[in-house]
Amino acid sequence: EISMRHSSTDYYYEEEDEDGKPIVPKEEEKQKRSHPLEMLLARLPNAFNREVIDGVAEQFCYLNTKPNRRRLIQFLLSVSRSQQELLPYYSRLTATLNQYMKDIGGEVVRQLTGEFYRLLKKKDQYKIESKTKNVRFLSELIKFQVTSPTLIFRCLQSCVLCYSVH
């Protein structure tokens, strides 16, 4: 039995659990958790300076959960190939968060490396911007010491061994 009071746009649930805490339905609970994260992620494409990126990193620390980290990683990796000017800032964010949340940097590098080898295997001339974005993102992560420089040399070696048009 749930009785609700409607006050402007908020619903208050009067059903309580054993500890006296109100029980919130799961769908609404997910929306409350993801809403601040969505607002934070919406700021990222317009973050063109260090201060904003550092502020986003600080705010993300308050929203730090495993699903939110996965969502952030997917957002960082989904940067458009035509917006390569964001890559240094996204790398800075990754490096800042990687100091305290080691799985963020490792997962970003793992997915970028996997994408690199998939793009290398396809040998598609039309994906040159995607290839450039991928290598540039990896290079920025090396610059911020998220991964070791040997990674880019292994990628370069793979390019030399599989030499083709692209």
Side-chain angles (χ1 to χ4, degrees):
E1 174 182 354
I2 298 176
S3 61
M4 293 185 278
R5 288 179 280 161
H6 180 63
S7 169
S8 67
T9 58
D10 297 329
Y11 285 94
Y12 298 95
Y13 294 89
E14 294 181 343
E15 182 177 296
E16 297 177 349
D17 63 4
E18 298 162 357
D19 300 327
K21 295 179 184 173
I23 297 176
V24 179
K26 288 183 181 180
E27 289 179 27
E28 204 167 296
E29 190 176 279
K30 286 181 183 176
Q31 288 176 352
K32 284 184 181 178
R33 270 191 254 145
S34 67
H35 181 65
L37 179 65
E38 294 301 321
M39 289 175 45
L40 188 68
L41 295 179
R43 288 180 49 200
L44 278 176
N46 300 321
F48 286 106
N49 62 36
R50 294 179 197 167
E51 292 79 23
V52 174
I53 289 296
D54 292 343
V56 168
E58 181 183 345
Q59 288 177 353
F60 183 79
C61 290
Y62 295 112
L63 304 171
N64 182 22
T65 63
K66 191 161 184 111
N68 285 351
R69 287 195 301 266
R70 272 190 248 127
R71 176 74 178 105
L72 176 68
I73 290 166
Q74 290 305 316
F75 185 85
L76 292 174
L77 293 172
S78 68
V79 65
S80 172
R81 64 179 192 244
S82 63
Q83 291 185 313
Q84 291 187 22
E85 67 275 0
L86 291 172
L87 296 178
Y89 301 107
Y90 285 9
S91 297
R92 181 181 178 91
L93 176 64
T94 303
T96 303
L97 293 174
N98 191 52
Q99 294 175 1
Y100 306 103
M101 304 164 218
K102 295 292 182 190
D103 59 333
I104 290 181
E107 185 63 21
V108 168
V109 170
R110 188 186 68 77
Q111 288 191 24
L112 282 172
T113 306
E115 182 183 2
F116 172 80
Y117 286 110
R118 276 190 301 280
L119 289 169
L120 185 66
K121 194 175 187 180
K122 285 185 182 178
K123 298 179 184 179
D124 188 2
Q125 292 180 341
Y126 299 107
K127 302 251 183 195
I128 191 72
E129 287 178 338
S130 297
K131 293 175 183 179
T132 305
K133 177 199 83 148
N134 184 277
V135 171
R136 185 162 177 211
F137 204 163
L138 283 170
S139 300
E140 290 290 339
L141 290 171
I142 290 168
K143 179 175 84 175
F144 285 106
Q145 299 177 351
V146 175
T147 188
S148 69
T150 57
L151 173 69
I152 206 71
F153 288 117
R154 278 184 284 171
C155 292
L156 183 60
Q157 181 184 18
S158 298
C159 288
V160 171
L161 292 175
C162 298
Y163 184 73
S164 66
V165 179
H166 284 285

